[in-house]
Amino acid sequence: MPFKCLPMLQELLDRLFSRGAAQKTSRETVKRRLQILLAHDRTDLSPAVVEKMRQEILEVVSRYVEIDPDHSEFSLESDQRTTILTANLPIRGIKEVAASLDEPQVAPLPAEATPTAPEPDNSAVSKTPPDSLDLSLLDVIDAAIDPNVLGIANPSADVKQP
Amino acid sequence: MARIIVVTSGKGGVGKTTSTANLGMALAKRGRSVAVIDADFGLRNLDLLLGLENRIVYTALEVLAGECRLEQALVKDKRQSRLVLLPAAQTRMKDAITAEQMKQLVGMLGDKKYDYILIDSPAGIEQGFQNAIAPAKEALVVTTPEISAVRDADRIVGLLEANGIRNAHLIINRIKPAMVAQDKMMSVRDVQEILAIPLIGVIPDDEKVIVSTNRGEPLVLASEPSQQSLAGQALQNIVRRLEGEKVPFLDLTPPPDHFFSRLRRLFQPSE
């Protein structure tokens, strides 16, 4: 049966010409796993909080611009003991509300502005009540530290106490 | 002024106690006066690695209770008279003493009498760990190139910083150069990059460590060349770096492969 040994021969050839490089070594795998793991460990944020933060950031950004939720990336990475939050949000277009704003400052919207903001039409965002739109990033981080606040906001989140 | 250094790791079994015993012994061999403190109450081991288990009469607990003087509890090493051990109690739990009491013990040992006070921390991040780091000004963080050990070491580095110990150095233990060469283990550089604290030692995996533990004779004591080991040399280098010498890291590149072993690997599935 000469055909039976074909795959074996193929693998051998792959190895000889290191075409099998697509398969990661366990050393690369463990390094990658650790980098992601430690980024989360170091911020001490639970996955639930990170997810909430992601949704809220998407919400704020999509008030001004139309983003592509399918191609958005949101990640925590660690480099030299500093954790970096990276959001990669491809913009499809500018929304009218943002263009009509005359005031130069783009700082946090005043509370009155909330009703004028378009209702969250993105499916990923619609779960959150509209009044939580005012939550700034700082509030979210505070919530992570204070278990009581979090308990009310998100009872399912489990936050490790330092 | 005595340098007060805690040896810690987070994860158990990565070589904290072996490192403490060897570093203490190597420092004493260099002429420094050294006190090693076992902070692992309930699971003490440092006495075993130093081969001093039969000479313990009193422990740190009796000293604190005022049942004996500090000098009565200290076990002096017969091979290196500049080394003393302050043993932990074996019958009690980790919360038998407080961080304040640990500071008190180190205070009693005195600043002038010893050049180095090494504290062997228990595994974990609970009370025993808190006690061990309380009096320390410097830290040696021991890890192995494994995911769980590195993760725990990272947590420890964070906790040390939070407790004001900024002078922390990394010891990477049990590295297997042949596995690193085959991309089956993280390299020294990988681990150091991830943990991002200065490296002070790299100890290769060495069977002689087990033999020395069996005998209760730290590796660095070996005087005959036949008994000397790469791991022992690595530990001695750490001591020299602690003392401020610039010592290059050991060359751990594996010996060149046999042609047939390379051929064999070609046929084995990759890992």
Side-chain angles (χ1 to χ4, degrees):
Chain A
M1 299 287 273
F3 291 110
K4 209 175 176 184
C5 59
L6 260 181
M8 257 177 78
L9 192 68
Q10 178 69 48
E11 202 196 337
L12 183 65
L13 283 173
D14 276 352
R15 240 174 248 251
L16 277 171
F17 300 105
S18 61
R19 270 194 287 176
Q23 199 188 359
K24 272 192 174 175
T25 65
S26 72
R27 178 180 164 194
E28 284 164 355
T29 312
V30 71
K31 225 183 140 183
R32 187 80 198 117
R33 283 175 70 201
L34 260 170
Q35 271 160 348
I36 296 168
L37 191 66
L38 294 187
H40 285 266
D41 280 2
R42 284 171 187 170
T43 47
D44 208 7
L45 290 175
S46 72
V49 172
V50 174
E51 175 57 22
K52 193 161 181 279
M53 191 157 72
R54 191 184 71 85
Q55 288 188 3
E56 282 171 21
I57 287 174
L58 279 180
E59 225 169 84
V60 171
V61 176
S62 51
R63 248 188 263 164
Y64 297 91
V65 290
E66 226 177 287
I67 50 177
D68 183 352
D70 294 331
H71 294 95
S72 301
E73 277 173 22
F74 195 87
S75 67
L76 282 175
E77 292 225 19
S78 230
D79 182 46
Q80 294 288 308
R81 305 215 71 79
T82 323
T83 304
I84 300 160
L85 169 71
T86 319
N88 208 337
L89 312 171
I91 296 173
R92 274 207 208 119
I94 310 291
K95 288 204 173 170
E96 285 160 34
V97 192
S100 71
L101 273 180
D102 293 322
E103 295 90 319
Q105 89 269 22
V106 202
L109 282 179
E112 311 87 67
T114 312
T116 67
E119 63 281 282
D121 48 350
N122 280 323
S123 55
V125 157
S126 56
K127 273 181 263 169
T128 339
D131 55 333
S132 70
L133 288 174
D134 286 334
L135 258 188
S136 71
L137 201 61
L138 268 180
D139 290 329
V140 181
I141 292 163
D142 279 344
I145 294 161
D146 186 350
N148 300 325
V149 176
L150 195 86
I152 298 158
N154 192 351
S156 64
D158 58 321
V159 170
K160 271 190 290 174
Q161 276 300 94
Chain B
M1 268 272 284
R3 283 175 71 180
I4 306 165
I5 307 174
V6 62
V7 183
T8 183
S9 72
K11 188 177 179 301
V14 297
K16 277 180 302 295
T17 309
T18 310
S19 299
T20 312
N22 277 285
L23 296 179
M25 196 61 93
L27 281 164
K29 253 180 105 176
R30 278 176 73 94
R32 308 288 171 203
S33 54
V34 184
V36 289
I37 304 180
D38 193 344
D40 202 345
F41 281 69
L43 290 171
R44 73 171 183 217
N45 279 326
L46 187 54
D47 52 332
L48 301 179
L49 298 206
L50 288 166
L52 298 174
E53 69 272 20
N54 292 327
R55 299 192 30 224
I56 296 176
V57 183
Y58 296 108
T59 70
L61 218 56
E62 280 86 53
V63 177
L64 286 168
E67 290 164 21
C68 73
R69 284 177 295 111
L70 177 68
E71 289 71 28
Q72 290 175 290
L74 293 176
V75 184
K76 193 185 252 188
D77 192 276
K78 281 185 179 145
R79 300 153 294 192
Q80 287 292 336
S81 58
R82 292 185 200 88
L83 180 76
V84 295
L85 164 73
L86 179 60
Q90 174 67 2
T91 50
R92 303 293 288 272
M93 302 300 279
K94 300 240 187 310
D95 48 11
I97 72 165
T98 64
E100 270 317 306
Q101 286 175 312
M102 191 56 112
K103 281 188 189 170
Q104 197 187 328
L105 281 171
V106 171
M108 286 163 83
L109 279 168
D111 239 9
K112 290 176 194 72
K113 220 170 153 193
Y114 297 99
D115 299 315
Y116 286 88
I117 297 175
L118 302 185
I119 306 169
D120 183 26
S121 152
I125 51 173
E126 296 83 17
Q127 185 66 49
F129 164 76
Q130 296 292 345
N131 290 348
I133 66 166
K137 302 277 185 291
E138 300 170 50
L140 295 175
V141 179
V142 186
T143 190
T144 61
E146 288 153 284
I147 187 166
S148 46
V150 175
R151 183 197 204 175
D152 290 3
D154 187 76
R155 187 107 165 80
I156 291 295
V157 172
L159 288 171
L160 287 170
E161 267 172 20
N163 283 278
I165 303 177
R166 281 183 182 81
N167 188 348
H169 286 85
L170 182 66
I171 296 177
I172 303 178
N173 193 14
R174 258 184 240 143
I175 197 110
K176 296 188 181 189
M179 284 188 80
V180 176
Q182 292 171 37
D183 283 329
K184 290 176 182 172
M185 181 182 257
M186 278 188 284
S187 69
V188 169
R189 200 162 153 206
D190 292 340
V191 177
Q192 206 242 329
E193 247 173 46
I194 288 168
L195 291 176
I197 62 168
L199 185 69
I200 198 171
V202 178
I203 309 171
D205 192 50
D206 194 334
E207 288 185 359
K208 290 196 174 118
V209 174
I210 295 175
V211 177
S212 89
T213 312
N214 293 345
R215 297 213 169 100
E217 289 167 5
L219 274 179
V220 296
L221 270 180
S223 45
E224 295 160 41
S226 66
Q227 292 177 320
Q228 269 160 11
S229 57
L230 215 51
Q233 205 186 327
L235 284 154
Q236 253 151 354
N237 285 351
I238 295 174
V239 159
R240 290 169 62 192
R241 291 187 197 107
L242 267 180
E243 297 243 280
E245 271 183 59
K246 287 241 182 299
V247 189
F249 289 95
L250 290 179
D251 180 20
L252 296 176
T253 36
D257 254 354
H258 204 266
F259 172 74
F260 288 108
S261 62
R262 256 186 292 175
L263 195 65
R264 202 184 314 127
R265 205 177 306 137
L266 213 53
F267 289 94
Q268 280 169 350
S270 59
E271 283 163 59

